[in-house]
Amino acid sequence: MLWLQALLFGLVPFCASKPLLPRWDDFQVKHAWVEMPRGWELHGPAPADYRFNLRIGLKQARIEELIAALYEVSDPAHDRYGQHLSKDEVDVLVAPHSDSADLVESWLTAHDIDTNAYHRSGGGDWLTVEVSVSEAERMLGTQYNVYRHSGSDDYVVRALNYSLPSILHEHVAVVAPTTYFGTIKSMKKTSFLQPHIPTIESDTDIASLLINPGSLATVPSSCSTTITPSCLRALYNTTSYTPTATAVNKLGICGYLEEFANFADLQTFFERFRTDAVGSNFTVVLVNGGENSQSEPGVEANLDIQYADGMSFPTPNIYFSTGGSPPFIPDDNTPTNTNEPYLDFLNFILAQSDVPQTFTTSYGDDEQTVPLDYATSVCNMFAQLGARGVSIMFSSGDDGVGAGDCLSNDGTNTQRFQPNFPASCPFVTTVGATFRVPEEGISFSGGGFSNYFAQPSYQSTAVSAFLTKLGTTNAGLFNVSGRAYPDVSAQGEGFQVVIGGRVESVAGTSASSPTFAGVVALLNDFRLANGNAPLGFLNPLLYSTGAAGLNDITSGSNPGCDTNGFSAGTGWDPITGLGTPDFGKLQALIG
């Protein structure tokens, strides 16, 4: 036995110098759906040789430091307020640990992926590689199929689950496309036509009545039915302010759903509703194959650009048209770009050194249809923008506390309120809707509590006060410890929008978000014109000193899920948030 002990002892240094190679077939589930996402149906197996772009999100080694920095530079009570990070500084904080990068590269090499052929993001936290379906299935221990969305007739290549080798789980945050089924066409826009509401061809008469725009008493009663820029400028006290920092200040509008804002319609809108802006226009940036055909103008796109521009003129507006070819055309194996709406836009904009100081987006998904790993990665990308000094507005949704039967998709079919994403992300400012003059919360205004994201400290006091007053109402239907939204609100009904040369009445929180973003763009102009930094991430300001610059809305409710939903009241509520903006008061508070 002595010879055996000697042999084993002799092998120790050899074993120590030759660590075991990772096992790439030791799979552990990363995400799996209990049931097929609603609205989708199986079309058939994906062709093994179909090629697409696979995005691998590596875990960011210092993401907690980035989020801490975001809160510090966004808190008006902190010494670092306004000291936003540069792109390079953000890239350093989101970079993966070298061990993560090396291990993922070894994994790709083991699957014969050319390490020189893939694209790395600026921080190195995202890798994009082109693979075939058969390669992706081997790498992720899954099966890709073709699924059809019944509402849009859109086809996608997705999986109902995916796995990673066990050793990669602490190094990889998300892989896409896998189990997130959302596409450009299947995303929920948050606007709708209102043919029952009369339209007006001009508001010159209304504009002439606004003798004292700082007083709500001067807002004509017609603004309770039909909304124009003059109504909004009077309601939100912006009429007397003229932007001057137009060489540096910009407002970005995110466009999806293959809709394009129309130049000619904007001119007609200006001729009828903002005559001093006639002749000005917006610029277009195409992202991931986005289009700008100027044909068949979209309701959503025209609403967004006309009211963002109508509120912020002469601040330059940029329409980001995010598109891309359909992710899969049955029986067509031509390589095409992967269609991941949020990732397409965010990877693009984070790579830019110069970005608009304000953004508005009027689209979203039911939170439960977005895998948690995907939602978390996207939300952290919004945090990166916020840390760089960008204010990000999202519409809260048009389903109140939830649409349809509101059943959970975790296999239990439990009835619960259905929050929206990205509205539920704690690093964006979510905008609900009001109507009438004086303002009330409108029934469709999306609001509630996230089931994914914890309640951030900046809103804990305001939300606790609401929950105390709520008592046991709706108990068990929502997550009391979740991120609560909306944060603020603005008018959302009867907007006069020019579509194809004709005026239509449009409603939705899609109207509210660009309206509020327009006010924020004016505030950023004021800051920049006075040599200060832009506002950046708004919520820590809004829930503290900024609350005094908002009009508290105390009536209205947002029913859904066979309930009366929530009711508005004094202070924050999940219909109107903290309220609607008063530019003059906010201007004084941030000066």
Side-chain angles (χ1 to χ4, degrees):
M1 293 299 292
L2 290 176
W3 66 269
L4 179 58
Q5 293 175 356
L7 176 62
L8 291 174
F9 181 79
L11 287 175
V12 168
F14 176 78
C15 294
S17 63
K18 298 286 186 178
L20 293 175
L21 292 175
R23 283 192 55 188
W24 303 125
D25 60 349
D26 177 26
F27 286 114
Q28 181 179 336
V29 174
K30 180 67 173 170
H31 180 258
W33 290 117
V34 175
E35 57 189 36
M36 189 182 303
R38 290 168 194 169
W40 293 90
E41 59 188 35
L42 177 64
H43 178 77
D49 58 352
Y50 171 72
R51 302 189 68 80
F52 62 99
N53 289 335
L54 191 70
R55 286 192 175 101
I56 303 163
L58 280 67
K59 291 194 175 177
Q60 300 154 328
R62 299 169 65 187
I63 186 63
E64 295 305 322
E65 288 182 50
L66 179 130
I67 293 172
L70 168 68
Y71 283 131
E72 289 175 357
V73 301
S74 307
D75 182 356
H78 199 280
D79 291 342
R80 289 186 66 189
Y81 181 61
Q83 298 176 31
H84 302 119
L85 279 60
S86 67
K87 175 184 179 300
D88 290 342
E89 289 171 330
V90 168
D91 284 346
V92 168
L93 293 178
V94 300
H97 192 281
S98 58
D99 290 350
S100 299
D102 291 344
L103 194 60
V104 169
E105 188 165 307
S106 297
W107 174 54
L108 294 174
T109 300
H111 285 280
D112 298 322
I113 304 296
D114 184 359
T115 57
N116 295 315
Y118 52 73
H119 176 267
R120 291 178 176 85
S121 64
D125 52 327
W126 285 95
L127 302 180
T128 303
V129 300
E130 186 181 291
V131 296
S132 67
V133 163
S134 60
E135 288 173 327
E137 289 179 339
R138 287 194 298 271
M139 293 168 64
L140 303 174
T142 189
Q143 178 181 346
Y144 278 89
N145 292 304
V146 179
Y147 297 89
R148 174 182 172 273
H149 186 250
S150 57
S152 63
D153 201 32
D154 209 6
Y155 291 84
V156 298
V157 173
R158 295 291 191 271
L160 289 179
N161 59 75
Y162 78 102
S163 300
L164 289 171
S166 297
I167 196 172
L168 288 183
H169 273 250
E170 61 180 296
H171 301 279
V172 174
V174 66
V175 180
T178 49
T179 54
Y180 170 55
F181 276 60
T183 70
I184 294 290
K185 291 182 179 179
S186 67
M187 291 170 69
K188 292 166 58 178
K189 61 181 179 180
T190 53
S191 68
F192 51 93
L193 291 171
Q194 293 185 300
H196 63 285
I197 289 184
T199 60
I200 58 176
E201 296 302 311
S202 170
D203 72 346
T204 53
D205 292 339
I206 296 174
S208 67
L209 293 174
L210 304 180
I211 301 168
N212 179 20
S215 168
L216 289 179
T218 65
V219 180
S221 60
S222 62
C223 293
S224 283
T225 305
T226 52
I227 289 292
T228 67
S230 293
C231 292
L232 297 172
R233 295 172 70 204
L235 272 168
Y236 302 140
N237 196 13
T238 70
T239 306
S240 59
Y241 183 79
T242 301
T244 59
T246 53
V248 291
N249 191 36
K250 299 178 181 67
L251 171 55
I253 297 94
C254 301
Y256 298 101
L257 289 177
E258 299 179 359
E259 288 200 357
F260 324 113
N262 187 270
F263 296 126
D265 281 347
L266 180 62
Q267 290 307 308
T268 302
F269 178 80
F270 283 157
E271 289 167 2
R272 298 183 179 185
F273 302 116
R274 179 116 200 214
T275 56
D276 59 331
V278 171
S280 67
N281 226 316
F282 62 97
T283 58
V284 177
V285 173
L286 305 181
V287 181
N288 192 45
E291 299 180 31
N292 182 32
S293 70
Q294 291 299 299
S295 63
E296 300 181 8
V299 174
E300 183 76 47
N302 273 6
L303 165 65
D304 289 346
I305 197 67
Q306 288 173 21
Y307 279 87
D309 220 344
M311 288 298 292
S312 65
F313 173 79
T315 303
N317 279 217
I318 305 172
Y319 187 85
F320 292 86
S321 177
T322 300
S325 303
F328 181 81
I329 302 174
D331 304 319
D332 182 353
N333 295 333
T334 303
T336 183
N337 288 333
T338 301
N339 189 322
E340 290 279 359
Y342 301 118
L343 294 183
D344 289 343
F345 174 73
L346 286 167
N347 274 295
F348 169 83
I349 203 67
L350 285 169
Q352 311 304 309
S353 57
D354 182 24
V355 298
Q357 293 85 352
T358 310
F359 273 102
T360 177
T361 308
S362 296
Y363 301 90
D365 294 284
D366 288 337
E367 186 183 68
Q368 69 169 358
T369 68
V370 184
L372 177 59
D373 56 356
Y374 185 95
T376 301
S377 295
V378 167
C379 190
N380 287 343
M381 295 170 89
F382 291 125
Q384 294 177 51
L385 278 177
R388 289 175 59 179
V390 179
S391 303
I392 306 166
M393 262 59 64
F394 266 91
S395 55
S396 69
D398 294 349
D399 298 322
V401 294
D405 57 20
C406 296
L407 297 180
S408 64
N409 63 352
D410 58 1
T412 65
N413 286 327
T414 303
Q415 187 181 42
R416 288 176 64 85
F417 292 167
Q418 294 299 325
N420 282 348
F421 177 84
S424 63
C425 171
F427 308 130
V428 305
T429 299
T430 304
V431 188
T434 62
F435 74 139
R436 295 178 180 162
V437 180
E439 293 182 272
E440 303 174 25
I442 199 165
S443 60
F444 60 71
S445 183
F449 298 76
S450 173
N451 291 317
Y452 282 1
F453 301 104
Q455 191 176 113
S457 59
Y458 62 71
Q459 66 173 187
S460 60
T461 300
V463 175
S464 294
F466 170 80
L467 292 173
T468 298
K469 289 183 290 186
L470 183 68
T472 59
T473 303
N474 298 324
L477 292 175
F478 66 95
N479 176 22
V480 295
S481 61
R483 185 278 202 261
Y485 73 94
D487 303 297
V488 290
S489 52
Q491 286 278 325
E493 181 173 82
F495 277 56
Q496 303 300 284
V497 181
V498 176
I499 306 164
R502 297 181 53 190
V503 178
E504 303 277 0
S505 288
V506 182
T509 51
S510 277
S512 312
S513 186
T515 296
F516 196 92
V519 176
V520 173
L522 296 181
L523 292 169
N524 275 330
D525 178 275
F526 173 69
R527 293 270 303 175
L528 292 166
N530 285 280
N532 296 315
L535 291 170
F537 178 43
L538 296 169
N539 294 5
L541 166 68
L542 294 173
Y543 282 90
S544 56
T545 55
L550 301 169
N551 308 308
D552 190 13
I553 310 302
T554 58
S555 62
S557 62
N558 57 351
C561 304
D562 296 323
T563 74
N564 293 325
F566 297 110
S567 295
T570 302
W572 180 89
D573 56 69
I575 306 100
T576 64
L578 295 164
T580 60
D582 184 318
F583 175 80
K585 291 180 179 179
L586 289 167
Q587 184 183 17
L589 289 167
I590 66 170

